[in-house]
Amino acid sequence: MTRDKVLNLIGLAMKAGYVVSGEFSVEKCIKSGKAKLVIIATDASENTKKKFEDKCKFYHIPMIIYSTKETLGTALGKGLRSSITLTENGFKSAILKITEG
């Protein structure tokens, strides 16, 4: 049930224009300080997870590993997505509240 809530929030954030997806774009967003929460798919490669863990630590951005590439992509109405970032604090807080329960 909570999983669906998170994916619903991601979908809403996408419609509102607060989601950036794709490795390169997410990385750019982190570096520019726009990223508020980074979400990496559980089935992303270890390299991808490590890269974003390091970047998020360095830039002090919370990161969660959540869902699969397919379900993240579906929530956004796109193809497979291994990394996405939210650029708005309301959605970030709502998702963290659910996942940290």
Side-chain angles (χ1 to χ4, degrees), residues 14-90:
M14 179 69 186
K15 284 188 183 87
Y18 295 129
V19 174
V20 174
S21 67
E23 214 163 303
F24 178 74
S25 303
V26 170
E27 213 175 312
K28 216 168 101 181
C29 217
I30 292 171
K31 287 177 181 167
S32 71
K34 290 189 184 110
K36 305 295 180 207
L37 171 66
V38 174
I39 303 171
I40 305 297
T42 51
D43 54 352
S45 72
E46 289 308 311
N47 272 353
T48 300
K49 288 180 190 167
K50 173 106 180 71
K51 179 168 100 178
F52 283 108
E53 266 170 28
D54 293 347
K55 287 225 177 310
C56 288
K57 265 194 195 105
F58 184 81
Y59 289 95
H60 306 290
I61 297 163
M63 181 187 121
I64 57 172
I65 294 178
Y66 191 85
S67 199
T68 62
K69 292 180 197 176
E70 191 178 350
T71 49
L72 284 177
T74 303
L76 300 176
K78 297 183 184 242
L80 301 178
R81 287 293 183 267
S82 57
S83 57
I84 67 171
T85 186
L86 297 172
T87 57
E88 195 269 340
N89 279 315

